[in-house]
């Protein structure tokens, strides 16, 4: 495993032109990368030719997410002709990595080491107070799979057949971003620091997985990985509107859940106009009768109210049109 590169004349010339306030340079210089080598040491063989420094490869992968390039192929091309990027990553300008090198690097290390590396970088950001967690946001985004859901034929027959097919991405699934947008691939579920917009934890699921069940593992992962931070609020859209998410955020994390209400196709008595909130905070019908408290549904975690005319407490002219519920 290689741990350093000697500067070539071209790279040295680029170092003279590199500005001290270069944003990528500032980010890379403020990260302690010493944890990388002990973390990946077991994935490299002491025999054979020396490979690229894993720290340089990690830095190169970060260039994609920092907006310098958009893919491994464009990254390899940029490192071949851009002395600045070569210098920032620590590559030899005369022998930059190919796009296949980055694929092999990710396969060699595996998702567990990349996940651990993510949390090490998050811990650095917390120590440097780049991340000062108080308010968080949880959401998901879709990720297209670069494969066909129909697979590739393994036989030479040109017509339709029932032979086994080879799938380059067998875990990808169909999912819906909205009623009008269907995609094939995955969902990336994130919890981020609302102020810095940097991630605190991430989960990747097939596209057909729902968003709501991922709120708990994201909050739990953040709390377990970084116990020194205090989450005050957790904002989510209506896809996460469930009693368990409210309960977990309040009781297990100690955070205030801010979740948009999801009507789920049902009728909400408040928003539909059947009930109103009076000035004293009580529920009141259109005939100005106060709803009668009828206990708590512990199983569903809700309070129950009933209509006073239904209980025989008064007469109401609107009884037949107000609600069909008993």
């Amino acid at each position: 495993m290689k741990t350093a590169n000697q500067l070539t004349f071209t790279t040295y010339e680029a170092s003279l032109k590199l500005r001290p306030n270069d944003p990528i340079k500032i980010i890379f210089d403020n990260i302690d990368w010493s944890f990388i080598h002990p973390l990946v040491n077991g994935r490299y063989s002491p025999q054979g030719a020396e490979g690229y420094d894993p720290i340089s490869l990690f830095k190169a992968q970060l260039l994609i997410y920092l907006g310098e390039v958009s893919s491994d192929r464009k990254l390899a091309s940029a490192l071949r002709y851009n002395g600045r990027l070569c210098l920032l990553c620590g590559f030899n300008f005369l022998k930059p990595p190919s796009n296949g090198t980055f694929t092999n690097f990710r396969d060699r290390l595996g998702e567990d080491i990349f996940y651990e590396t993510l949390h090490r970088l998050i811990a650095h950001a917390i120590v440097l107070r780049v991340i000062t967690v108080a308010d968080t946001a949880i959401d998901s985004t879709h990720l297209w799979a670069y494969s066909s859901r129909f697979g590739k034929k393994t036989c030479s027959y040109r017509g339709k057949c029932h032979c086994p097919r080879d799938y380059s991405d067998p875990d990808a699934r169909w999912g819906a971003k909205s009623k009008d947008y269907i995609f094939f691939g995955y969902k990336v579920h994130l919890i981020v620091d609302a102020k810095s917009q940097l991630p605190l934890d991430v989960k990747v699921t097939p596209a057909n997985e729902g968003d709501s069940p991922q709120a708990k593992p994201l909050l739990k992962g953040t709390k377990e990985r970084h116990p020194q931070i205090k989450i005050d609020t957790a904002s989510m859209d209506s896809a996460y509107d469930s009693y368990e998410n409210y309960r977990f955020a309040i009781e297990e994390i100690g955070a205030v859940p801010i979740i948009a209400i999801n009507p789920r196709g049902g009728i909400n008595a408040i928003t539909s106009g059947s009930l109103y909130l009076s000035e004293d905070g009580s529920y009141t019908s259109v005939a100005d009768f106060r709803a009668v408290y009828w206990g708590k549904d512990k199983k569903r975690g809700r309070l129950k109210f009933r209509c006073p005319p239904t209980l025989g407490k008064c007469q109401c002219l609107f009884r037949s049109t107000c609600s069909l519920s008993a």
Side-chain angles (χ1 to χ4, degrees), residues 39-40 43 58 108-118:
L39 195 63
V40 305
R43 302 300 176 97
F58 267 114
R108 178 193 296 270
L109 268 56
E111 62 181 58
D112 291 339
I113 288 184
F114 269 93
Y115 185 68
E116 180 63 28
T117 302
L118 168 67

Side-chain angles (χ1 to χ4, degrees), residues 162-290:
H162 299 286
C163 297
R165 290 178 174 264
D166 182 29
Y167 296 90
S168 60
D169 197 345
D171 297 324
R173 295 290 184 273
W174 281 106
K177 185 174 175 65
S178 66
K179 292 190 299 182
D180 304 318
Y181 191 94
I182 310 297
F183 67 98
F184 181 70
Y186 299 88
K187 282 184 180 179
V188 180
H189 307 267
L190 284 167
I191 177 172
V192 301
D193 172 29
K195 184 176 181 181
S196 65
Q197 299 185 29
L198 292 176
L200 301 171
D201 200 5
V202 60
K203 302 291 179 186
V204 179
T205 65
N208 61 343
E209 295 284 341
D211 290 350
S212 184
Q214 305 306 320
K216 287 175 59 177
L218 288 172
L219 287 167
K220 184 179 180 181
T222 302
K223 194 70 174 179
E224 291 179 348
R225 287 280 186 163
H226 310 286
Q228 71 274 31
I229 63 178
K230 175 68 171 64
I231 300 177
D232 291 335
T233 65
S235 300
M236 312 171 215
D237 62 27
S238 59
Y240 299 87
D241 180 21
S242 72
Y243 170 75
E244 183 58 23
N245 286 340
Y246 286 105
R247 186 205 64 79
F248 186 83
I250 295 171
E251 297 181 3
E252 305 292 335
I253 305 299
V256 176
I258 304 174
I259 307 177
I261 295 176
N262 189 344
R264 291 184 177 87
I267 299 176
N268 186 310
I270 300 295
T271 58
S272 65
S274 298
L275 289 177
Y276 299 91
L277 279 173
S278 62
E279 293 182 357
D280 62 357
S282 61
Y283 295 108
T284 307
S285 70
V286 292
D288 204 26
F289 292 122
R290 181 178 297 183

